[in-house]
């Protein structure tokens, strides 16, 4: 079974070709440089770049995989959630290829791609509690199998990744915020500033990171940087701010995930999404799981950011279960996981 998948939910253009569980090709074109000057993703710019990049990526993927379009058994694309103008590009292209080749089409939920990515290369999908942490989403999901998902908790305002981006902008560190804050935090003191752990003890499994971002904004004018050696002092303060902010996010994610595991009697925690590339988060959750006898699975870093490999993997599992999508199905920018 050979599947070609396309991912264009936001600002990454991606094409992947999967044969059973063997990745034959995975091509990704990043638009970070295009959007960095705006401090965030501009939908019109993103969709224009998808249109320009997609033909080249399709050619590179088929050449790399040594596969002709006629040999593809099914075509898949992200159908939501995401930016409508971006989703349309990849979805329409995959449908066109499916029609031309006379092969099945599968519309895949972007969040399902993330949720299943820790099992890439493994046999079967074990029951687990899945934590998806990205720029647009922070979710805890009880997973019973393919398509068997129950949302346990979600963010009520900003997602964790969005908070990283906004705080990085406040600190003048650029976009995207996750990698730059993590880099600065390595040299900082995570206990230097007492920042809020919003909703940590709310009694439910929902998240809130907007207040944390606001706390950083109100803290900035109170941070005094000495006039002498100002550059070095500023670097130290920024490192401490980044470390304190990052630790506040990690503390909330750890606390909520442990509560979810206990409430569901689950013995496996999976972590995915762009923010899961954060090494401090990975190690913190790994230590928590080891302490509590929980299996911890996290996707490889190249599978954590937006990519088509995870979409191809989800499509393969769906197709093996006999699922197909109608070519008449529309994209859904607000598509829910469950």
């Amino acid at each position: 079974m050979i599947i070609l998948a396309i991912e264009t939910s936001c600002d990454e253009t991606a094409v992947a070709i999967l044969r059973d569980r063997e990745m034959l090709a995975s091509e990704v074109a990043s638009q970070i440089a295009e959007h960095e000057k705006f401090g965030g993703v501009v939908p019109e710019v993103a969709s224009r770049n998808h249109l320009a990049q997609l033909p080249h990526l399709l050619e590179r993927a088929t050449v790399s995989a040594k596969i002709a379009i006629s040999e593809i058994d099914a075509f898949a694309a992200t159908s939501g959630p995401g930016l409508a103008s971006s989703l349309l590009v990849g979805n329409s292209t995959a449908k066109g290829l499916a029609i031309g080749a006379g092969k099945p089409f599968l519309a895949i939920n972007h969040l399902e791609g993330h949720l299943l990515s820790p099992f890439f290369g493994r046999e079967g999908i074990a029951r687990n509690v899945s934590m998806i942490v990205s720029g647009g989403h922070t979710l805890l999901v009880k997973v019973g199998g393919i398509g068997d998902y129950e949302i346990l908790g979600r963010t009520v305002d900003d997602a964790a990744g969005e908070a990283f981006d906004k705080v990085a902008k406040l600190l003048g560190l650029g976009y995207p915020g996750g990698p730059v804050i993590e880099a600065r935090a390595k040299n900082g003191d995570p206990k230097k500033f007492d920042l809020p752990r919003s909703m940590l003890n709310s009694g439910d499994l929902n998240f809130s990171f907007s207040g944390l971002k606001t706390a950083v904004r109100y803290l900035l004018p109170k941070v005094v940087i000495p006039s002498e050696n100002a550059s070095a002092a500023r670097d130290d303060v920024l490192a401490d701010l980044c470390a304190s902010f990052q630790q506040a996010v990690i503390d909330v994610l750890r606390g909520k995930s442990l509560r979810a595991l206990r409430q569901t009697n689950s013995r496996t925690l999976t972590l995915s999404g762009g923010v899961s590339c954060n090494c401090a988060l990975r190690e913190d959750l790994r230590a928590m799981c080891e302490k509590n006898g929980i299996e911890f699975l996290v996707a490889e870093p190249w599978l954590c950011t937006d990519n088509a490999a995870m979409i191809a993997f989800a499509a393969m599992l769906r197709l093996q279960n006999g699922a197909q999508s109608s070519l008449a199905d529309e994209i859904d920018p607000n598509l829910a996981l469950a």
Side-chain angles (χ1 to χ4, degrees):
M1 184 185 297
I2 301 175
I3 295 176
L4 185 150
I6 299 173
E7 154 64 25
T8 59
S9 63
C10 190
D11 62 334
E12 307 282 13
T13 315
V15 176
I17 299 176
L18 183 69
R19 180 168 57 203
D20 295 326
R21 292 174 183 269
E22 178 188 4
M23 186 55 58
L24 300 181
S26 181
E27 301 288 340
V28 181
S30 173
Q31 297 184 26
I32 289 178
E34 297 287 337
H35 299 279
E36 186 174 10
K37 53 193 170 188
F38 302 107
V41 178
V42 180
E44 184 179 355
V45 174
S47 58
R48 286 181 178 179
N49 275 278
H50 289 316
L51 285 167
Q53 293 286 352
L54 198 47
H56 303 296
L57 292 185
L58 284 166
E59 182 178 4
R60 278 163 46 185
T62 52
V63 169
S64 176
K66 299 179 181 179
I67 294 289
I69 291 295
S70 60
E71 297 177 81
I72 304 295
D73 295 308
F75 296 86
T78 305
S79 60
L83 301 174
S85 55
S86 290
L87 289 167
L88 277 169
V89 177
N91 208 258
S92 300
T93 301
K95 284 180 177 179
L97 290 169
I99 292 171
K103 298 293 175 63
F105 166 73
L106 293 99
I108 301 299
N109 188 307
H110 179 80
L111 295 175
E112 184 176 40
H114 279 307
L115 179 146
L116 296 174
S117 61
F119 294 95
F120 187 87
R122 293 172 175 261
E123 291 294 331
I125 305 299
R127 295 177 181 272
N128 67 92
V129 167
S130 171
M131 176 175 282
I132 305 172
V133 195
S134 66
H137 304 276
T138 303
L139 293 171
L140 277 168
V141 186
K142 181 181 178 182
V143 180
I146 304 300
D148 182 5
Y149 311 130
E150 178 188 348
I151 304 296
L152 301 174
R154 53 164 48 94
T155 182
V156 299
D157 44 51
D158 291 353
E162 185 179 359
F164 269 94
D165 287 340
K166 289 180 177 178
V167 168
K169 189 173 183 179
L170 284 172
L171 300 179
L173 297 178
Y175 173 86
V180 292
I181 285 181
E182 181 182 10
R184 293 271 187 167
K186 290 178 181 178
N187 299 314
D189 178 2
K191 297 180 180 179
K192 180 69 174 181
F193 299 104
D194 185 18
L195 295 172
R197 272 65 170 166
S198 300
M199 296 186 71
L200 181 58
N201 300 307
S202 61
D204 57 30
L205 295 172
N206 291 328
F207 302 88
S208 171
F209 295 103
S210 179
L212 176 57
K213 170 205 65 182
T214 303
V216 173
R217 180 163 64 87
Y218 286 146
L219 177 63
L220 282 176
K222 302 175 184 178
V223 177
V224 179
I225 299 177
S227 57
E228 58 183 31
N229 299 322
S231 179
R234 180 177 184 277
D235 286 344
D236 289 342
V237 170
L238 282 176
D240 290 339
L241 273 170
C242 288
S244 298
F245 165 78
Q246 178 177 268
Q247 192 60 52
V249 173
I250 291 174
D251 287 349
V252 172
L253 295 177
R254 183 202 323 111
K256 294 284 185 172
S257 61
L258 182 58
R259 184 173 297 135
L261 288 163
R262 288 172 173 169
Q263 287 184 9
T264 58
N265 293 317
S266 298
R267 307 307 303 166
T268 301
L269 175 69
T270 66
L271 177 66
S272 60
V275 179
S276 69
C277 288
N278 186 292
C279 292
L281 173 61
R282 286 178 174 235
E283 292 312 308
D284 192 289
L285 291 181
R286 192 184 307 279
M288 180 269 287
C289 286
E290 287 180 358
K291 181 179 178 181
N292 291 276
I294 302 294
E295 181 183 23
F296 180 60
L297 300 178
V298 59
E300 293 294 325
W302 68 276
L303 275 170
C304 292
T305 53
D306 291 352
N307 64 88
M310 67 180 187
I311 303 302
F313 182 57
M316 181 196 71
L317 296 175
R318 286 278 184 179
L319 196 60
Q320 287 176 343
N321 283 359
Q324 290 189 34
S325 302
S326 169
L327 291 169
D329 288 348
E330 300 287 347
I331 61 160
D332 184 354
N334 300 308
L335 184 61
L337 181 62

